[in-house]
Amino acid sequence: MLGLFVCKEDTMSRYNARTTEPKWQKAWDEAEAFLAKRDPDKPKYYVLEMFPYPSGRIHIGHVRNYTMGDVIARYKASCGFSVLHPMGWDAFGMPAENAAMAIGGHPKEWTYGNIAAMKEQMKPLGLSIDWTREFATCDPEYYGQQQALFLDMLNADLVYRKNAMVNWDPVDMTVLANEQVIDGKGWRSDAPVERRELTQWFFNISSMAEELLSAIDGLDNWPAKVKLMQSNWIGKSRGLQFSFERSDGGEAIEVYTTRPDTLMGASFVGISPDHPLAKEIEASDSQAAEFIAECRKGGTTAEALETGEKLGYDTGLTVKHPLNPEWELPVWVANFILMDYGTGAIFGCPAHDQRDLDFCRKYELPVISTFVPKDDAGFVRPETSGEAYVPPKDEIVQFVQNLEGLNPFCTGNEAVDHAIAKAESEGWGTGQTKFRLRDWGLSRQRYWGCPIPVVHCDDCGVVPEKKENLPVVLPDDVSFDIPGNPLDRHPTWRDTPCPSCGKPAKRETDTMDTFVDSSWYFARFTSPRAQTPTDIDDAAYWMNVDQYIGGIEHAILHLLYSRFFARAMGKTGHLPQGTEEPFDALFTQGMVTHAIYQTRDDKGRAVYHLPEDVDQEKTVLRETGETVEVIPSAKMSKSKKNVVDPVDIIDQYGADTARWFVLSDSPPERDVEWTASGAEAAWKFLGRVWRLAADLEDGADTDEALERETAKAIHEVTVGIETFGFNKSVAKLYEFANAIQKSKAGPGAKRKAVKVLAQLMSPMTPHLAEEIWAHLGGEGLIAQAAWPVADESLLKEDSVTLPIQINGKRRSEIQVPADLPKEEVEKLALADQAVIKALDGGTPKKLIVVPGRIINVVI
RNA sequence: GCGGUCGUGGCGGAAUUGGUAGACGCGCAGCGUUGAGGUCGCUGUUCUGUAACAAGAGUGAGGGUUCGAGUCCCUCCGACCGCACCA
């Protein structure tokens, strides 16, 4: 690699990124080219990439993300917009505490050290960022304003306290994040995790469920799949809520079902292990207690609950079927029923729910079909097949166990409506709309987060901290040698007078979920030094974010929480009207992947190898000649040795090459595979473009063909950028550069074309573009030059080639004037040799002419 | 388990959104430049087939709608992502 590097700089005529790039970065700084200014004469444009977590090193994925944002920012600036393109750090979170535990030191030092290091790595990319607006969420100036927001939200009833389950490590005596639970065990202690109930703070996001759902429709510039995922996450459903009377006269069991039409197929009533009734039984029945304790082992994730083995315990209680008091159903405690959804109790209908069927098979409970396919010939019923029958709700089926008064041939939806209407008219149940969306638990039993600004007083209860006492700053003198939250054992920080009565009281030691930090940072960027969370005038000018760019992994939580916060900030006076949906357009970009090279050791285990240790052509290890297995397009991971470090790439080729590469090949929403040969190709191309410009003479000559190429290039590259088709813009730029190179035009015409080429490339490879611009005598900085405009008249072609299909297969083609009437085209088509031959004297059955596109002769 | 996405040459991918499949790049082959290698320049490159044409096949598999399907619908196979305390 080093040897190659020498070659890459040695020739005088070569473009030297190493000296050129810092030169132009300095020029931009001096010109304050990227300072965001409120300019009443210009339209504004706010482009934002999801801010990074300061892990310590930038990742090639960051390069891709920020390069895309930078292309948009630079492009919009040259189109005359006043651009806001800020950068900050999502700086609270567990890794800082983990580092403190693993290697000592303080989370604060670790975090700020990482921020400095990452900024150092990011700067050479030449991003058009307004660094004067930079902040980290762990700055007291930021989280203090977040505490002020919290207090206002508390005042507006958007925050409240209730009990909820957490993962509890019984050995380390600490709360665990889902990530820290591995196969149901604590990651450090290896002890089986338990679920434990704690009183925690919640944002009342479910109160906005209906609005958060209906507003999705208006998000025209969001990816359809993100909107669909959000809709499903909010999960609106219509169903029936009713009670099962207990045979022993105890408190009735309230259930909620979206399929009340299958009530005649009920075979048991199931309750969650966390249901109040389960707790009641637990107290008196030791076997039940044992079972419930078993259920509480393992994590709290939906995935763990739903993929685990379905277990149940027969409580011995029975309930009466609402439509037939003689019919008694057993009550089971079942581990797959979530307390958080509906009422925490269900009735099981095994014929039409796979989970219920598995459960009933296991515990030998009856299976009763309530409906079968409309035409049930050959249908094997769930009673005997082991497969539940779950057709779409809009499909017509035949009911065999129906509620009185229902047409046996109807859709699931009709049957549900009928069941609800019947229950309501008979008075034993009510139709209800429910959401899957749960309130957002924001309490974290950890140090490195934003302190929740409340005080617990024995006399006054939970008391909000006074705003003038904000920020409630994290104490620095903490240690991480034992697990748990150091704030809990920090008496001088924890002990504080009650803001209300002044008596000794204790601070809340829980801190906020880091998702809170990232739910409003976009608003803070509009006025990052304001003494209030936002400055309403600045927010009014800059909001909304015109283009937001980030990973698909944030499709649900971060975006939903931000949508909630924008509304909450509107209600508490921190954002102006019209910012309820803070992100006008969203783009979710794919990952940068890289091949994994692996061999096997004697025991058959995988051994991974660095790309530079592998002979790429023969796919063998350079040292031993051993054959290497290549796994393409894998997510980068240190342990798999397939990580590409952007710093190395920039050192070797320069930032422009890295930027050009991550935009090439793959569409931005898809993954792109990093390959050494691809990076090399990008580097070679940039060198070729430089040579194209380097030895051009001037001249007064013109060339129409080249002008046409130029107009087409402007048009297509612009469309590519506007539609996030960066790979297509890149392909067009290759074509345009090739066309210039091969053109026989004189130096004057070529010079004009190369200047446009530099402009079109400037959002992607800004340093090279500046160098060419300066070399060709362009005025000022290309970063501040106006975007070129295509000459419309040159875009139109005089004649077009129309392919002729015969019976749908391409057989010939004709050249016709672009504006030739359809009838004339038909005549020309019928006169084509291939058509005459195929017709063999007959007439075509049909002749289809799609103007400007295609001709199809049907014989 | 629930929800979502994707599948096109040797490889990454393009296809004006139902209208010439394979743009552009990599790789490979040949030629030129060079003392040689690299660089650089030119030409070719879906597969079968042919001396070359011709001709045929072809977008994970199977079926359907249509004058026309990579694109729309159904079934199947495979890969990937999310699931509320990772950021």
Side-chain angles (χ1 to χ4, degrees):
Chain A
M1 281 301 188
L2 278 177
L4 282 173
F5 178 70
V6 174
C7 286
K8 274 165 193 156
E9 289 203 295
D10 59 359
T11 321
M12 285 302 287
S13 64
R14 273 192 205 285
Y15 175 70
N16 186 337
R18 172 164 285 191
T19 53
T20 307
E21 292 184 349
K23 180 176 79 185
W24 291 112
Q25 285 164 20
K26 200 167 156 237
W28 296 328
D29 278 350
E30 281 164 5
E32 296 189 332
F34 311 130
L35 210 59
K37 286 187 268 269
R38 269 172 65 181
D39 183 343
D41 298 332
K42 280 185 177 178
K44 68 92 192 180
Y45 198 90
Y46 183 3
V47 56
L48 183 67
E49 301 97 56
M50 290 179 186
F51 66 165
Y53 178 78
S55 59
R57 289 202 76 77
I58 63 165
H59 184 272
I60 196 80
H62 293 130
V63 175
R64 194 175 190 211
N65 189 197
Y66 307 140
T67 302
M68 287 178 195
D70 202 44
V71 169
I72 301 289
R74 285 174 178 274
Y75 166 72
K76 288 292 175 181
S78 39
C79 290
F81 287 86
S82 175
V83 170
L84 172 57
H85 185 210
M87 180 62 70
W89 309 93
D90 189 14
F92 276 133
M94 288 202 305
E97 286 189 33
N98 295 341
M101 275 189 264
I103 57 173
H106 194 282
K108 184 170 162 182
E109 283 155 26
W110 185 85
T111 302
Y112 281 105
N114 283 350
I115 289 174
M118 284 178 79
K119 197 173 167 185
E120 198 64 24
Q121 294 157 29
M122 236 153 116
K123 281 279 190 155
L125 280 170
L127 302 170
S128 64
I129 286 167
D130 179 357
W131 285 102
T132 67
R133 289 173 187 257
E134 177 190 6
F135 61 77
T137 55
C138 63
D139 297 341
E141 294 73 29
Y142 182 80
Y143 70 72
Q145 297 304 334
Q146 184 163 305
Q147 290 167 343
L149 271 179
F150 178 90
L151 294 179
D152 288 346
M153 287 169 77
L154 186 61
N155 203 31
D157 286 330
L158 289 164
V159 197
Y160 69 101
R161 291 208 325 153
K162 71 169 177 183
N163 288 349
M165 292 292 175
V166 293
N167 301 307
W168 180 257
D169 186 320
V171 171
D172 279 352
M173 303 289 280
T174 184
V175 176
L176 296 178
N178 282 338
E179 191 190 49
Q180 296 170 314
V181 179
I182 294 152
D183 295 331
K185 292 176 182 161
W187 65 333
R188 285 173 191 279
S189 67
D190 212 29
V193 168
E194 295 166 10
R195 267 181 284 158
R196 187 174 261 218
E197 210 166 28
L198 289 183
T199 306
Q200 304 190 66
W201 288 95
F202 282 82
F203 285 121
N204 197 353
I205 187 170
S206 64
S207 67
M208 293 190 194
E210 183 74 64
E211 206 210 320
L212 288 167
L213 180 68
S214 58
I216 290 172
D217 276 347
L219 300 172
D220 296 333
N221 294 309
W222 281 40
K225 68 172 166 181
V226 173
K227 292 197 279 186
L228 187 59
M229 284 161 92
Q230 293 234 338
S231 293
N232 288 334
W233 187 261
I234 295 170
K236 186 177 181 173
S237 66
R238 178 163 165 72
L240 181 71
Q241 188 152 330
F242 66 97
S243 298
F244 281 101
E245 300 297 333
R246 266 163 63 187
S247 309
D248 66 359
E251 199 182 327
I253 300 173
E254 191 91 353
V255 300
Y256 173 75
T257 176
T258 58
R259 287 313 297 257
D261 56 319
T262 64
L263 194 50
M264 297 308 284
S267 53
F268 68 97
V269 166
I271 61 172
S272 161
D274 302 318
H275 192 276
L277 178 58
K279 287 180 183 171
E280 206 178 289
I281 295 166
E282 191 179 9
S284 58
D285 178 342
S286 64
Q287 255 186 297
E290 208 173 294
F291 174 78
I292 291 168
E294 193 58 36
C295 290
R296 294 219 174 104
K297 284 184 184 159
T300 58
T301 66
E303 190 189 4
L305 293 175
E306 288 178 23
T307 54
E309 194 191 355
K310 314 274 175 292
L311 295 173
Y313 175 80
D314 186 354
T315 62
L317 297 175
T318 56
V319 292
K320 296 174 186 167
H321 195 282
L323 296 173
N324 177 4
E326 306 293 303
W327 184 357
E328 295 201 326
L329 298 168
V331 178
W332 286 67
V333 180
N335 67 346
F336 61 90
I337 300 170
L338 304 165
M339 193 58 219
D340 296 310
Y341 184 64
T343 61
I346 59 151
F347 75 81
C349 177
H352 307 297
D353 184 296
Q354 193 61 46
R355 270 187 316 193
D356 293 351
L357 184 59
D358 295 344
F359 189 81
C360 288
R361 278 281 136 70
K362 182 164 180 164
Y363 295 108
E364 297 180 342
L365 292 162
V367 178
I368 311 155
S369 283
T370 57
F371 52 79
V372 294
K374 192 172 56 175
D375 168 21
D376 70 347
F379 176 66
V380 186
R381 287 199 180 194
E383 284 93 317
T384 48
S385 73
E387 209 168 302
Y389 177 53
V390 194
K393 270 192 185 168
D394 56 0
E395 192 174 304
I396 293 178
V397 293
Q398 184 187 166
F399 276 80
V400 290
Q401 290 287 333
N402 53 328
L403 303 185
E404 194 191 344
L406 179 75
N407 169 12
F409 289 91
C410 69
T411 66
N413 286 324
E414 287 162 355
V416 169
D417 289 344
H418 171 262
I420 292 172
K422 184 178 165 67
E424 285 184 340
S425 73
E426 293 172 4
W428 54 270
T430 50
Q432 286 208 355
T433 296
K434 283 214 192 299
F435 295 93
R436 210 185 69 101
L437 180 66
R438 309 200 297 251
D439 277 338
W440 171 12
L442 68 115
S443 298
R444 296 291 180 273
Q445 295 70 39
R446 274 186 273 278
Y447 165 79
W448 194 233
C450 171
I452 296 174
V454 299
V455 174
H456 298 274
C457 172
D458 285 342
D459 292 349
C460 311
V462 178
V463 184
E465 184 55 271
K466 290 180 182 159
K467 274 203 180 168
E468 60 262 35
N469 293 340
L470 299 184
V472 175
V473 181
L474 287 169
D476 285 339
D477 55 333
V478 287
S479 68
F480 295 87
D481 38 12
I482 43 173
N485 182 358
L487 295 177
D488 264 342
R489 11 174 237 267
H490 194 295
T492 57
W493 184 84
R494 198 184 56 192
D495 296 345
T496 185
C498 168
S500 172
C501 69
K503 282 193 202 153
K506 288 188 191 321
R507 281 194 192 288
E508 169 74 64
T509 57
D510 283 357
T511 53
M512 295 186 204
D513 179 6
T514 56
F515 270 121
V516 180
D517 313 337
S518 55
S519 292
W520 71 286
Y521 77 109
F522 49 86
R524 184 72 183 166
F525 273 136
T526 64
S527 188
R529 312 289 170 238
Q531 296 301 305
T532 45
T534 56
D535 175 296
I536 213 80
D537 291 338
D538 283 325
Y541 178 79
W542 289 114
M543 288 295 285
N544 293 330
V545 176
D546 293 280
Q547 182 66 60
Y548 195 34
I549 309 170
I552 186 73
E553 68 273 21
H554 294 294
I556 297 172
L557 291 182
H558 163 61
L559 293 167
L560 190 62
Y561 292 161
S562 297
R563 297 176 62 217
F564 164 72
F565 248 74
R567 286 169 171 76
M569 289 175 78
K571 282 193 204 299
T572 51
H574 295 293
L575 279 177
Q577 281 217 315
T579 59
E580 289 75 19
E581 288 301 337
F583 310 124
D584 278 354
L586 172 72
F587 189 85
T588 53
Q589 106 266 4
M591 291 186 301
V592 183
T593 61
H594 193 278
I596 294 174
Y597 302 99
Q598 69 174 33
T599 55
R600 303 271 171 190
D601 68 9
D602 328 338
K603 290 175 185 146
R605 286 174 306 205
V607 179
Y608 301 104
H609 303 279
L610 293 169
E612 52 264 39
D613 296 339
V614 176
D615 183 320
Q616 301 287 335
E617 270 170 47
K618 299 180 195 139
T619 60
V620 294
L621 277 184
R622 283 189 209 279
E623 277 202 10
T624 61
E626 200 180 342
T627 304
V628 173
E629 194 186 334
V630 183
I631 303 163
S633 299
K635 193 170 177 170
M636 289 193 188
S637 126
K638 265 187 198 165
S639 62
K640 305 254 166 87
K641 295 197 178 180
N642 68 334
V643 176
V644 173
D645 190 334
V647 173
D648 295 343
I649 303 300
I650 294 167
D651 280 351
Q652 197 180 346
Y653 297 107
D656 282 342
T657 295
R659 294 171 60 118
W660 185 256
F661 180 86
V662 294
L663 296 171
S664 313
D665 289 355
S666 284
E669 69 274 18
R670 296 257 291 257
D671 293 351
V672 62
E673 177 158 333
W674 184 278
T675 60
S677 59
E680 189 84 11
W683 181 79
K684 280 184 197 172
F685 175 70
L686 300 190
R688 189 148 64 89
V689 171
W690 170 247
R691 284 193 302 280
L692 217 48
D695 10 277
L696 267 185
E697 305 284 316
D698 208 348
D701 55 288
T702 55
D703 184 88
E704 201 196 311
L706 205 48
E707 278 167 15
R708 276 186 190 279
E709 287 295 334
T710 304
K712 268 201 297 195
I714 294 172
H715 177 72
E716 286 182 37
V717 172
T718 306
V719 169
I721 292 174
E722 293 266 9
T723 59
F724 269 84
F726 302 130
N727 56 323
K728 286 178 245 170
S729 291
V730 165
K732 187 65 208 175
L733 286 163
Y734 269 107
E735 269 185 81
F736 186 35
N738 290 344
I740 297 172
Q741 193 165 358
K742 285 180 188 157
S743 164
K744 302 278 189 287
K750 280 199 171 185
R751 208 178 156 88
K752 252 167 82 184
V754 171
K755 263 179 105 166
V756 173
L757 175 66
Q759 281 190 285
L760 295 178
M761 286 176 70
S762 69
M764 297 150 188
T765 57
H767 312 89
L768 172 66
E770 291 286 4
E771 190 71 10
I772 293 174
W773 188 252
H775 180 74
L776 296 182
E779 205 171 304
L781 290 167
I782 203 168
Q784 293 175 319
W787 193 249
V789 179
D791 183 340
E792 290 286 334
S793 67
L794 292 173
L795 287 174
K796 293 199 189 87
E797 299 284 351
D798 303 338
S799 80
V800 288
T801 307
L802 289 181
I804 299 178
Q805 292 184 336
I806 294 169
N807 290 337
K809 297 226 177 251
R810 187 182 174 281
R811 283 289 182 268
S812 181
E813 61 180 36
I814 48 172
Q815 279 279 333
V816 298
D819 51 0
L820 194 70
K822 209 169 164 176
E823 299 73 41
E824 297 297 316
V825 176
E826 282 177 10
K827 275 185 205 159
L828 285 174
L830 290 175
D832 184 82
Q833 280 307 315
V835 175
I836 290 168
K837 199 178 151 202
L839 280 173
D840 196 23
T843 50
K845 272 193 206 147
K846 217 167 177 181
L847 184 58
I848 293 140
V849 174
V850 184
R853 282 266 182 277
I854 203 164
I855 300 158
N856 194 6
V857 187
V858 185
I859 293 168

